[in-house]
Amino acid sequence: MKIDLAGKIALVTGGSRGIGRACSILLARAGAAVLVNYNRSREKAEEVMNEIRELGGEAEIFKADVSVPEEVEELFEFLKKRFGTLDILVNNAGIIRDNLLLTMKISDWDRVHDVDLKGAFLTSKSAAEMMLPRRSGKIINVSSVAAVAGGRGQTNYASAKGGLASFTRACAVELGAKGIQVNAVLPGMISTDMSSRTVRRAGELILKRIPFERFGDPMEVASLVLFLASDLSGYITGQTIAVDGGLSIS
Ligand code: NAP
């Protein structure tokens, strides 16, 4: 069975690098037209767009900080003008600002919540508005195993990602009768820019806790996102699914 997203429109926030990049490319490979959102990495976003176009797919890029309401508005105005509608939203944009509770700066607490949680609220609100008239749509939130397992130095990140998991369930309840599915993926340690410092600092220790004894690849997260974006996930909503080589159950 082949996943076919031809004719579908997808928006991937933070699609310029890492997991978002993998999601953009995999959704496009399945036939979806993809709007790749980025904030700082314009060149990287252009590379993703060009890679998709070289594969024969359709892609555009748009700069917006997902934590800023006006920029999210502009993002959705562009989406409406260019593509007319939205079928799949992947709330992937995220940052870390790790520090121990006692030395955590209030600005780092706020920034992580603004991007990782409020960003998903802003985009989901606009996406749901576009999806409601057609009574169909898929919203996929990229949370983290930090939502279910405490991590030292991550009170800000764990609470934002835990909030995102709860947000997923509450949205799924509200939007289920309208034909909109809302699910979350919980990546473990995936090899990207975000995890590189942690891997350098504590990689060996973390590896010992992962039953698969290796870090994940962004494409392995994107595969789950692709499944959730497809008709194969037709009766699934409000779920948080780990893709972590067993880290969260070890
Ligand atoms: P990454 O390599 O650092 O990439 C982060 C992406 O988010 C970039 O494309 C970045 O875009 C975008 N972004 C950051 N702030 C943004 C903002 N304010 N507005 C719009 N886009 C913004 O990180 P990653 O590892 O791929 O992480 C992707 C998601 O997976 C995040 O939500 C992260 O929390 C989650 N996750 C990752 C891991 C892991 O081990 N890597 C584990 C669990 C969960 P620009 O560069 O263009 O600014």
Side-chain angles (χ1 to χ4, degrees), residues 13-21 37-42 44-45 64-68 91-96 111 115-116 142-146 157 161 164 185-195 218 221:
T13 69
S16 51
R17 295 185 288 116
I19 293 170
R21 176 184 191 281
N37 157 252
Y38 69 98
N39 187 31
R40 293 184 171 167
S41 308
R42 183 180 181 90
K44 296 275 177 194
D65 179 336
V66 293
S67 70
V68 179
N91 279 317
N92 164 80
I95 56 164
I96 47 171
R111 185 65 189 149
V115 176
D116 294 41
V142 182
S143 175
S144 166
V145 291
Y157 183 72
K161 291 299 190 182
L164 187 55
V185 301
L186 275 56
M189 280 299 286
I190 310 298
S191 301
T192 66
D193 296 340
M194 180 181 279
S195 60
V221 181

Side-chain angles (χ1 to χ4, degrees), residues 90-110:
V90 183
N91 279 317
N92 164 80
I95 56 164
I96 47 171
R97 295 278 187 278
D98 291 0
N99 219 325
L100 294 174
L101 174 65
L102 295 183
T103 44
M104 172 79 61
K105 287 191 207 141
I106 293 171
S107 57
D108 285 345
W109 172 275
D110 286 344

Side-chain angles (χ1 to χ4, degrees), residues 57-70:
E58 207 180 337
E60 296 286 351
I61 59 170
F62 196 89
K63 176 185 161 34
D65 179 336
V66 293
S67 70
V68 179
E70 296 74 20

Side-chain angles (χ1 to χ4, degrees), residues 4 11-14 16 32 43 47 86 93 116 135-136 162 228 244:
D4 184 8
L11 165 61
V12 180
T13 69
S16 51
E43 270 179 32
E47 277 172 30
L86 179 67
D116 294 41
R135 300 185 76 80
S136 83
L228 290 170
D244 66 351

